[in-house]
Amino acid sequence: MRVSLTAALSVALLSTPALAQDWQATLDAARGQTVYWNAWGGDERTNAFIAWVGQQTSARHGVSVQQVKLTDTAEAVTRVISEKAAGQADGGSVDMIWINGPNFLAMKDKGLLHGPFVATLPNAQYLDLSPASPNSVDFTVPVDGMESPWRLAKFVFNYDSARIDVPPATMAAFIDWAAANPGRFTHPDPSNFMGATFLKQALIELTPEVAVLQQPVTDANYEAATAPLWAWYEALKPNLWRAGKAFPENQSVQQQLMNDGEIDIAMSFDPASTAGDIAQGLLPDTARVFVPEGGTIGNVSFVAIPFNAANRDGAMVVANFLLAPETQAHMQNIEVLGSFSVLDPAKLDGDAQAAFSGLPTAPALPTLEALGPTLLEPHASWMTRLTAEWAQRYTR
Amino acid sequence: MTMTRDGRALRAVVMVVLAIGLIGPIMAGLAQTGRAAFGIMPVLGAVEASLTPWRDLLTEPGLWTAVRLTLWTGLVSTALSLMLAVGFCAVTHARMTTTSAARWLAPFLAVPHAALAIGLAFVLTPSGWIARLLAPVIGLDRPPDLPIVNDPWGIALILGLMVKEVPFLLLVMLSALTQIPVRQHLAAGRALGYGRGLVWVKVIAPQVWPLIRLPVMVVLAYALSTVDMGVILGPSNPPVLAVMLTRLFSNPDTTRILVASAGALLQGGLVAGAFAALWFADRLMRNIGLWWLRRGGRGSSAEPLLRLASAAVIALFVLGALAMAALLIWSFAWRWPWPEALPQSWSLKAWASPTAGWLRALGNTVLLASATTALSLVLAIVWLEGEDRAQRGRAGWAEALIYLPLLVPQIGFLYGLNILFLRLGINGGYTAVIWAQSLFVFPYVMIALSDPWRALDPRLTRAAASLGAGPWRRLLAIKLPVLLMPILTAAAIGIAVSVAQYLPTLFMGAGRVATLTTEAVTLSSGSDRRVTGVYASLQAGLPLAAYVAAFAIPAVLHRNRAALKGSSA
Amino acid sequence: MSLDLVDLAVRLPPGAPLFPPLTLSVAAGQVTTVMGPSGVGKSTLLDAIAGLLAPTFALSGHINLNGVDIRPLPAEARRIGLMFQDPVLFPHLSVGDNLAFGLTPKIKGRAARRDAVAVALASAGLSGLQDRDPASLSGGQRSRAALMRTLLADPAALLLDEPFSKLDVALRDEMRRFTFLHVRERAIPALLVTHDPEDAAATSGPVVRLPAPQPPR
């Protein structure tokens, strides 16, 4: 009841003339700006999509987009921190960041973000912004309108169906599978977010009481919650690739190992990436997606605007454009990016819904149903603690 | 004397430019890092000096292994590179002029470390090129699960460093040898009954050593602090210290920057310690060497070792060539899965793809390389000419300052330098990037130019002076034209260094100034070897074109000038 | 025209003078020979006169050219020509351009300068070698080209630093005659430094002997 009330309220608010005027003012101010969008640059399809966004906003609103390609989102965070350290309160070099989770928490905590701004975006009307929605909570941290969603991320495994008949059905089953296929599975280094997510995925399935993970970690609850995870990992590790002594730097390198035939199972935070990579010639045609029975961790990718962004209005125009139904439908197209939309289907009109249902499909592209339930990200402190303990145990 | 005053003025100008432009920024950067290492970084809310960052650093898992690996890979790769280069020089020197050698070495000098590492990883890895060629022979269905790349002993990293450093050392050694009458020494030594190898070790190496000591230190510092090669080829858990620090710097928990800063000082300490070890080794060798020399042992016992060294160098060259070929092939491949020895399908998409955007990156790279090289070349010429006019030899301390940027690990001062540039309000633009890159380009240009410059026959300028030519005419009409070849070689080296700069470009350009290298590194954080192949080919191609120009231009201009061929580089 | 050295001494502080204070006078068209064993500082003496002495040396006494003390002048303003043991032709310039480099700026105009070079080449028996690479000349040709280059600069005095020592015996005589002839023709003072008594004899001028140095170099 409260949920729909908030939603109705926000739609009503947005349709008031006062807000419409404000948005017009933003559009006017944004015209002619170039938005420096700091985004991880390791995926050519995402880079191409960002370039497409720039062409569109440039044609429609006179706002061009320049992608600043990052190897790690923390680079942009560090950049804003150094600007603040140098006392640069406006005219900053970062206009918009593709962000979520710990990096968002760090920037929000340190007062490095502009906002709240999400409610002022006209296209926010298509979002489910209820307090429990994945759009409102990022790694259990309330978003508070400081970052705007743009694509869905859901943890999935992929495997080469030419080499494997039946992939493991649960995280627990990975032990037996690895024992039968030693050296054919690995995960990225946990200092990388994909490696950390793999540990969290296992933790959620193995921990005795899942609800604890939504609270900040304490010395009291940590031991009991993680003991089964470490027991599981100890059993798995000897049969990992390179006997668990070396790990790929990130999921792209891991993907490459699968393409090279060194491993049979890899992982991704994008259910469509397998189909996309097959189309790009980066994976064998026989690659397929699978998820463990209990479902997998999901989260939302956001964009945020630093407090000192030089082209703040332009950044808001781009954030708004990302939420337009036709943008989201274009993005979900497997031939473009294949990322699932963040919009609430219930809030879309008939035309927009048709645009989504008419999208092409591919053999390696899972249906939403096949992806199973979405598990909530644990509180960010769990990830810090997990990766620290992993390093403590295995980095000698 | 007017000459001296003129020279002093010139030298003063260069000193001021260097103090403000080069030493100042580095010191400021180090100071920022130093403050952070002791807990002071107001923007993070850290305002009180404490030893906590150090305590945290010391309890960082795997720190000591990382330190050990860093020292092991750095020292071993440098020592082996040096020994192999000496051995190779001894065998081939008689048959090779510096110019023809430089022609051979150019591709290896031109290819950036990161690109070479990616190519090398593909050649060596268990699913890589060598394994694919062997697979049908020994009946491999799946790649063997062997730690060949990212091995815990750092052997792949040592190998990768050597492929890059041996050619560099060979180049500086060959150019140093032009200053020593090697042939006469060899003849004299052999007439006294010493084998070729022994003459090299006992007579020639001690003379070459002072001339190449600095480049060796540069190699050592690089090997101890490489990030890109460390990530691609080095051990993974724990990695070498520089990689560990990079991960700390990019940790979402921003307070880790303090720990990383402490680590950056430790990294600096390692480099300083390695230099100290080098100094002691130098001393020790001198004493042992003299004792050995006086014992007068002779014979040809070193001969098989020399042959072994040259064989090893040739093996390294083959590996490097394979790595470069692999990248070039990848850039034209579409699918190239295990166990195919050549791509299954070919495509120009990686080259043609508009989003690859390499054209813009290429434009930026050319612009930055030309600007930094021109600036560095002018500074270097003014410095050396000032030295001539003051009629003073090299000022050792001043020279040490020039090389500071190459000897202090980048990670130790770039973050602080960034804050300084932000305060000056020049961050994010070309000025800042040109400035920051020049910190690294200028020293290499100096290394390349100063020896040939100082080796220039002094009678040429004296003859010119006695014919009534003033200092400017002597510079423009005699020195610069006679030194055309080394000047162009220095420019080519400058261009190669500029093209390869990653961290300075990224930090000072706020990521906005995209070059071939920044794009290649971000893209290789993705897995597409084909796109990486395109960028790496361009990255290597640009400096290579510069090297070719450096050989071709003098060859055309001086086609009828026998005395300028073959010796002066 | 004359070159006069008065109490000229060179020392490398804090050491003693390389040779006792030297006083001599060379008249126009005359060749005076300074002889002495190697290491006595003969070349240093010439460097001091030509203005090419390294600043680490301390110089005392006077150097007068036509009565004017030239010590404060830089090398390029002294109008003193210097011939080395080797011809030291500029390797990047053609033979003609080498000569043109030395040719005094008093001769103006492209045609006039080209003619002056051609005349000089002809008088040295080098006609037609204008565009040649200096490295392709024979030893004797190179020496003659170097002398012509020095003379084209219109020097007021000439210093010769064992210029014949590296030539073979047959050439040496020819080159001596050629050089001294030009000195007389131009009527300039010339100072020859050598350890070859035949050189001294050929000058038919005065000979000054520098004693062996007290402290070994």
Side-chain angles (χ1 to χ4, degrees):
Chain A
M1 203 56 203
R2 233 185 103 230
V3 174
S4 55
L5 191 71
T6 323
L9 210 71
S10 61
V11 173
L13 273 174
L14 276 167
S15 50
T16 58
L19 268 181
Q21 259 173 25
D22 283 357
W23 185 248
Q24 191 54 50
T26 305
L27 282 177
D28 292 343
R31 191 160 286 280
Q33 290 185 341
T34 296
V35 174
Y36 286 90
W37 182 356
N38 286 238
W40 181 65
D43 177 31
E44 272 293 273
R45 275 159 61 95
T46 303
N47 297 347
F49 176 72
I50 290 174
W52 174 83
V53 168
Q55 287 159 16
Q56 296 295 316
T57 53
S58 170
R60 293 173 194 216
H61 308 293
V63 176
S64 49
V65 173
Q66 190 71 59
Q67 184 187 0
V68 175
K69 292 176 186 153
L70 308 176
T71 48
D72 193 306
T73 304
E75 267 173 43
V77 181
T78 314
R79 208 165 280 156
V80 177
I81 288 177
S82 2
E83 288 178 359
K84 193 173 182 193
Q88 192 175 8
D90 44 38
S93 67
V94 181
D95 294 322
M96 194 162 92
I97 310 179
W98 172 8
I99 198 170
N100 74 348
N103 286 310
F104 170 67
L105 179 65
M107 291 196 81
K108 193 182 173 213
D109 272 2
K110 301 246 150 43
L112 297 172
L113 290 178
H114 159 71
F117 72 95
V118 177
T120 62
L121 305 178
N123 288 332
Q125 60 175 307
Y126 304 115
L127 289 171
D128 175 5
L129 290 174
S130 60
S133 149
N135 293 329
S136 307
V137 187
D138 186 2
F139 282 56
T140 78
V141 175
V143 167
D144 293 336
M146 305 296 282
E147 54 177 358
S148 168
W150 71 288
R151 65 195 274 189
L152 269 189
K154 194 166 189 296
F155 183 76
V156 294
F157 290 99
N158 52 12
Y159 69 108
D160 187 349
S161 62
R163 292 187 183 274
I164 300 181
D165 295 328
V166 189
T170 60
M171 295 307 290
F174 268 91
I175 293 180
D176 289 341
W177 188 89
N181 304 279
R184 305 296 300 170
F185 173 67
T186 187
H187 59 84
D189 191 294
S191 67
N192 174 271
F193 80 100
M194 182 61 59
T197 305
F198 171 74
L199 292 181
K200 285 189 287 181
Q201 171 70 29
L203 177 66
I204 293 176
E205 184 184 302
L206 299 168
T207 195
E209 203 184 335
V210 183
V212 173
L213 304 181
Q214 292 300 306
Q215 306 302 318
V217 63
T218 64
D219 289 339
N221 64 19
Y222 177 76
E223 202 57 46
T226 57
L229 170 74
W230 298 119
W232 171 82
Y233 192 79
E234 289 289 347
L236 177 67
K237 186 171 174 280
N239 293 317
L240 291 178
W241 177 78
R242 303 279 184 271
K245 293 205 165 59
F247 298 90
E249 189 68 13
N250 55 44
Q251 88 263 26
S252 307
V253 175
Q254 191 189 21
Q255 200 91 298
Q256 188 174 282
L257 287 178
M258 184 150 113
N259 193 33
D260 286 345
E262 292 213 22
I263 55 172
D264 295 330
I265 299 180
M267 55 197 74
S268 160
F269 229 134
D270 179 358
S273 70
T274 305
D277 286 343
I278 292 173
Q280 288 290 301
L282 288 170
L283 281 179
D285 293 341
T286 46
R288 292 293 179 271
V289 171
F290 77 95
V291 291
E293 280 162 5
T296 55
I297 291 177
N299 65 35
V300 174
S301 287
F302 293 88
V303 288
I305 304 173
F307 77 107
N308 64 349
N311 304 294
R312 179 186 298 166
D313 297 295
M316 285 171 61
V317 169
V318 175
N320 186 56
F321 175 77
L322 288 172
L323 292 173
E326 68 263 40
T327 311
Q328 291 279 313
H330 182 72
M331 183 182 79
Q332 194 173 317
N333 185 343
I334 181 64
E335 284 152 13
V336 179
L337 194 54
S339 278
F340 289 103
S341 160
V342 292
L343 303 183
D344 182 351
K347 294 188 170 166
L348 299 176
D349 60 22
D351 283 354
Q353 284 179 358
F356 279 98
S357 54
L359 289 174
T361 179
L365 185 69
T367 60
L368 262 178
E369 302 79 68
L371 288 175
T374 299
L375 307 174
L376 286 176
E377 282 278 3
H379 187 270
S381 53
W382 286 91
M383 174 166 152
T384 315
R385 191 77 177 251
L386 276 187
T387 51
E389 169 146 12
W390 185 90
Q392 208 74 55
R393 279 169 175 261
Y394 304 113
T395 305
R396 290 271 173 262
Chain B
M1 295 246 294
T2 49
M3 268 171 116
T4 314
R5 207 175 308 124
D6 193 13
R8 277 204 196 115
L10 261 187
R11 206 130 88 142
V13 170
V14 183
M15 289 302 283
V16 169
V17 169
L18 288 180
I20 295 175
L22 196 137
I23 316 299
I26 290 172
M27 289 303 164
L30 278 175
Q32 289 280 359
T33 308
R35 268 157 52 100
F38 289 96
I40 300 178
M41 198 163 175
V43 65
L44 297 177
V47 287
E48 222 163 286
S50 80
L51 287 174
T52 321
W54 289 96
R55 236 170 270 138
D56 291 349
L57 178 69
L58 293 182
T59 55
E60 193 62 31
L63 176 78
W64 294 115
T65 315
V67 167
R68 224 174 19 244
L69 277 172
T70 304
L71 288 174
W72 160 254
T73 52
L75 293 174
V76 169
S77 66
T78 308
L80 281 179
S81 300
L82 187 59
M83 287 193 265
L84 292 188
V86 171
F88 192 73
C89 258
V91 174
T92 55
H93 179 261
R95 272 170 270 152
M96 221 186 234
T97 64
T98 312
T99 326
S100 65
R103 227 165 274 165
W104 276 99
L105 297 173
F108 296 95
L109 299 170
V111 64
H113 283 87
L116 187 85
I118 292 169
L120 202 57
F122 175 71
V123 172
L124 293 177
T125 200
S127 58
W129 227 3
I130 294 176
R132 289 175 191 207
L133 291 172
L134 292 178
V137 185
I138 51 178
L140 278 178
D141 168 39
R142 293 173 175 187
D145 188 11
L146 297 172
I148 298 178
V149 170
N150 307 119
D151 59 292
W153 311 281
I155 293 169
L157 176 57
I158 291 174
L159 215 54
L161 284 166
M162 286 172 64
V163 173
K164 264 309 272 181
E165 305 309 4
V166 168
F168 175 70
L169 288 177
L170 274 178
L171 187 76
V172 293
M173 231 177 253
L174 286 170
S175 95
L177 285 175
T178 57
Q179 300 180 43
I180 296 166
V182 177
R183 237 171 272 255
Q184 289 93 311
H185 284 318
L186 267 178
R190 296 175 93 162
L192 292 170
Y194 289 87
R196 185 169 55 154
L198 278 178
V199 180
W200 271 86
V201 173
K202 288 188 168 183
V203 179
I204 295 167
Q207 297 182 71
V208 173
W209 174 243
L211 300 176
I212 63 164
R213 190 190 296 132
L214 197 72
V216 169
M217 286 167 77
V218 170
V219 166
L220 183 58
Y222 182 88
L224 287 167
S225 41
T226 173
V227 175
D228 34 15
M229 279 207 149
V231 168
I232 299 162
L233 296 171
S236 115
N237 189 37
V240 290
L241 186 62
V243 175
M244 191 181 232
L245 297 180
T246 313
R247 284 186 191 161
L248 280 175
F249 267 116
S250 64
N251 195 295
D253 177 4
T254 47
T255 56
R256 304 293 277 167
I257 291 177
L258 301 180
V259 187
S261 300
L265 292 194
L266 175 63
Q267 173 84 55
L270 289 188
V271 174
F275 287 168
L278 191 67
W279 186 80
F280 276 115
D282 187 345
R283 277 292 139 110
L284 200 66
M285 286 304 281
R286 229 176 275 179
N287 290 328
I288 296 178
L290 279 178
W291 166 80
W292 189 45
L293 204 78
R294 286 170 190 149
R295 257 184 79 225
R298 37 202 89 181
S300 331
S301 53
E303 209 66 7
L305 279 177
L306 287 185
R307 237 167 274 143
L308 188 70
S310 349
V313 170
I314 287 166
L316 284 178
F317 281 159
V318 169
L319 265 185
L322 278 178
M324 287 186 265
L327 283 176
L328 197 62
I329 295 179
W330 264 109
S331 76
F332 293 104
W334 183 244
R335 271 204 64 66
W336 190 1
W338 166 267
E340 308 293 330
L342 280 174
Q344 258 178 0
S345 45
W346 302 84
S347 162
L348 284 172
K349 272 189 196 166
W351 285 96
S353 164
T355 58
W358 54 264
L359 205 59
R360 194 172 68 97
L362 182 67
N364 273 340
T365 309
V366 170
L367 178 79
L368 291 171
S370 330
T372 52
T373 303
L375 183 70
S376 305
L377 212 48
V378 168
L379 265 179
I381 290 174
V382 172
W383 173 282
L384 291 164
E385 175 67 9
E387 210 173 77
D388 285 359
R389 292 197 194 174
Q391 299 190 349
R392 291 272 155 82
R394 355 181 137 194
W397 58 274
E399 228 173 283
L401 285 182
I402 298 180
Y403 301 111
L404 199 62
L406 304 187
L407 303 178
V408 180
Q410 290 192 353
I411 212 167
F413 64 90
L414 273 181
Y415 182 78
L417 189 60
N418 189 27
I419 291 181
L420 179 82
F421 277 19
L422 280 164
R423 290 238 167 88
L424 294 176
I426 57 166
N427 183 280
Y430 288 90
T431 317
V433 179
I434 290 172
W435 189 348
Q437 284 198 352
S438 300
L439 296 184
F440 304 98
V441 174
F442 175 63
Y444 278 105
V445 169
M446 273 297 281
I447 288 182
L449 192 55
S450 56
D451 282 340
W453 185 286
R454 287 166 183 149
L456 179 71
D457 186 349
R459 295 173 311 172
L460 289 177
T461 47
R462 293 154 71 91
S466 70
L467 290 170
W472 290 105
R473 186 155 178 238
R474 293 201 293 270
L475 174 66
L476 298 174
I478 304 293
K479 287 189 199 168
L480 295 185
V482 172
L483 290 167
L484 180 67
M485 172 101 132
I487 287 173
L488 289 176
T489 307
I493 288 176
I495 287 171
V497 172
S498 165
V499 169
Q501 290 305 311
Y502 173 62
L503 283 180
T505 315
L506 185 73
F507 269 91
M508 307 312 154
R512 289 180 176 195
V513 182
T515 64
L516 291 173
T517 297
T518 62
E519 294 286 290
V521 175
T522 17
L523 286 168
S524 61
S525 82
S527 63
D528 202 336
R529 285 199 190 107
R530 304 165 307 183
V531 183
T532 309
V534 171
Y535 277 94
S537 306
L538 288 168
Q539 256 183 308
L542 195 62
L544 193 58
Y547 280 110
V548 170
F551 301 131
I553 293 173
V556 171
L557 287 180
H558 294 158
R559 61 189 172 283
N560 284 327
R561 299 290 176 258
L564 288 175
K565 280 180 197 152
S567 62
S568 54
Chain C
M1 287 222 270
S2 69
L3 175 67
D4 301 285
L5 309 182
V6 184
D7 287 336
L8 193 70
V10 182
R11 61 191 192 93
L12 194 54
L18 301 180
F19 42 82
L22 187 66
T23 300
L24 59 82
S25 178
V26 190
Q30 188 187 45
V31 180
T32 298
T33 306
V34 175
M35 291 197 61
S38 0
V40 74
K42 298 191 299 286
S43 294
T44 313
L45 170 68
L46 293 194
D47 282 351
I49 301 170
L52 297 169
L53 202 59
T56 40
F57 285 100
L59 181 65
S60 60
H62 299 280
I63 307 165
N64 296 333
L65 187 58
N66 302 332
V68 180
D69 189 1
I70 56 169
R71 270 192 59 195
L73 297 178
E76 63 267 22
R78 292 190 179 189
R79 293 191 55 216
I80 291 186
L82 184 56
M83 290 287 293
F84 303 90
Q85 279 183 12
D86 295 300
V88 196
L89 293 175
F90 301 131
H92 62 301
L93 299 178
S94 67
V95 174
D97 286 339
N98 260 285
L99 268 62
F101 184 95
L103 182 59
T104 172
K106 282 179 210 150
I107 296 181
K108 294 192 176 16
R110 248 171 88 183
R113 291 182 69 82
R114 207 176 41 219
D115 290 347
V117 169
V119 169
L121 282 171
S123 76
L126 300 171
S127 295
L129 300 182
Q130 196 126 2
D131 295 326
R132 287 276 288 274
D133 178 1
S136 70
L137 300 187
S138 71
Q141 287 174 323
R142 256 182 269 180
S143 294
R144 275 177 278 148
L147 181 67
M148 289 327 292
R149 182 178 69 175
T150 303
L151 294 175
L152 281 178
D154 191 20
L158 192 61
L159 306 178
L160 304 162
D161 189 358
E162 305 198 35
F164 317 117
S165 61
K166 289 205 174 166
L167 297 173
D168 55 47
V169 183
L171 266 177
R172 215 177 282 172
D173 249 0
E174 178 204 324
M175 197 56 206
R176 277 188 197 121
R177 255 181 311 208
F178 184 73
T179 306
F180 301 148
L181 175 74
H182 278 279
V183 170
R184 273 192 294 278
E185 258 181 18
R186 300 223 160 207
I188 51 174
L191 191 63
L192 169 70
V193 146
T194 183
H195 62 258
D196 181 354
E198 281 186 32
D199 281 351
T203 61
S204 61
V207 176
V208 179
R209 275 173 213 282
L210 292 183
Q214 261 74 38
R217 193 158 57 131

